[in-house]
Amino acid sequence: MAQVPNAQRLSDLPFSLDQLRWLARSQQLNGVLRAHILEECVASFDLSEDDRQEALRAFCLQRGLDGHQDVDNFRRRNCLSVSDFQVLAEYSTRFRHLLERDFLPKAEARFLERKTSLDRVVYSLIRVEEPWLARELYLRIVEQEADFASLAAEFSQGPESKTRGVVGPVPMLQAHPILAERLRISTPGLVQEPFQIQHWWLVVRMESYAPAVLDEGTRMAMGEELLEEWLQAEVNHQMALLAPQVLDTDAAPSFR
């Protein structure tokens, strides 16, 4: 796991007490700590000279920097020394090393934990407030007196009316838990009998279901999710360690 900088003492951070208090007042301390922790972690990776040059070329290409003059102009606009510019250029490469070493090995386990919520679904939906109307629309569909799309466009009281009832493809987790469970056990093409969620009565038909697969994109997303969770936990820990030194000792404000 990545090594986290020790933030128990103010001297461990490149900020004075007054600066930390200003960051806290301006609601930037959390973000600054996040950036500081990541910078300390990625700095621990040694890059070969070839890797450093490739990182520099990739950064310049991405930013449209063509030649020394463009680089110098970029540095001056962003108040970057030569060494700081190199650190910035190498950041993405070092970040990738951090991801590959500490988080991607756990990506498959995270994927298996979250697979059902990552599955994608397309479904048709009609929602109305009156149970009798939901029942009537359901019967008209199953008895083929009208098609689902036209009834959804005419009667559905949610944004799906603008798409003739079609929702998706969307991750299963975006659906209400009751709806998600109904979709999970449904058969494509089957219109479900009306059921209630809060004050709505729903008529639903599963159109297609695509189970999530652990391809490279999903693997990277799982790794980045794990990194973000770890990072937020570390920021919270560092904030708690800093609090006794940063908080004022004045009496709390009174509210009248």
Side-chain angles (χ1 to χ4, degrees):
M1 186 60 67
Q3 297 299 309
V4 183
N6 179 3
Q8 285 187 298
R9 299 179 304 276
L10 290 172
S11 58
D12 294 324
L13 292 167
F15 310 106
S16 68
L17 177 58
D18 285 343
Q19 288 171 330
L20 286 170
R21 285 178 170 164
W22 180 84
L23 289 169
R25 287 197 305 273
S26 59
Q27 296 287 283
Q28 298 182 69
L29 183 55
N30 191 292
V32 167
L33 279 176
R34 184 185 189 280
H36 180 67
I37 291 170
L38 264 181
E39 185 177 72
E40 292 291 302
C41 291
V42 302
S44 65
F45 291 93
D46 293 326
L47 298 182
S48 67
E49 186 57 32
D50 286 345
D51 283 343
R52 297 187 72 196
Q53 290 300 316
E54 179 57 33
L56 181 60
R57 282 193 292 270
F59 180 85
C60 289
L61 180 63
Q62 182 184 36
R63 299 300 181 98
L65 306 178
D66 185 15
H68 293 295
Q69 189 59 55
D70 282 354
V71 169
D72 285 343
N73 291 339
F74 179 89
R75 287 198 305 104
R76 294 178 187 282
R77 286 197 307 271
N78 293 278
C79 298
L80 293 167
S81 67
V82 173
S83 60
D84 286 340
F85 177 81
Q86 187 70 36
V87 168
L88 179 62
E90 295 173 5
Y91 183 87
S92 292
T93 299
R94 294 179 184 275
F95 180 88
R96 187 175 67 251
H97 285 319
L98 173 66
L99 192 66
E100 290 172 349
R101 186 190 71 182
D102 292 339
F103 299 99
L104 287 184
K106 303 173 185 177
E108 183 175 0
R110 169 52 64 94
F111 171 77
L112 293 175
E113 289 175 5
R114 295 199 51 220
K115 183 181 181 305
T116 55
S117 65
L118 295 170
D119 293 344
R120 300 181 72 82
V121 63
V122 178
Y123 59 95
S124 291
L125 169 68
I126 297 174
R127 70 175 114 186
V128 294
E129 294 183 333
E130 302 84 358
W132 61 266
L133 179 56
R135 185 69 184 177
E136 178 184 327
L137 297 175
Y138 165 75
L139 291 174
R140 289 177 66 183
I141 294 169
V142 297
E143 293 173 4
Q144 299 184 348
E145 294 179 4
D147 64 89
F148 202 117
S150 61
L151 292 180
E154 182 176 356
F155 292 100
S156 194
Q157 297 170 15
E160 64 281 345
S161 64
K162 295 181 174 58
T163 59
R164 297 174 64 81
V166 177
V167 179
V170 293
M172 188 74 79
L173 62 83
Q174 289 189 10
H176 187 282
I178 296 175
L179 175 57
E181 185 57 32
R182 293 272 187 151
L183 292 170
R184 191 171 286 113
I185 62 176
S186 184
T187 301
L190 176 67
V191 182
Q192 298 196 24
E193 291 200 22
F195 59 95
Q196 187 176 17
I197 296 180
Q198 298 172 348
H199 66 285
W200 296 111
W201 284 87
L202 275 59
V203 181
V204 176
R205 181 176 67 197
M206 166 77 79
E207 304 296 349
S208 65
Y209 181 82
V213 295
L214 187 60
D215 54 20
E216 186 58 24
T218 304
R219 180 170 170 268
M220 292 296 292
M222 294 296 97
E224 290 173 358
E225 184 177 283
L226 286 165
L227 185 154
E228 188 58 38
E229 287 181 3
W230 165 82
L231 181 58
Q232 189 56 55
E234 291 301 331
V235 169
N236 293 342
H237 177 63
Q238 303 300 308
M239 291 281 282
L241 292 174
L242 283 173
Q245 303 167 78
V246 176
L247 290 175
D248 290 329
T249 57
D250 299 336
S254 60
F255 299 92
R256 297 180 186 275

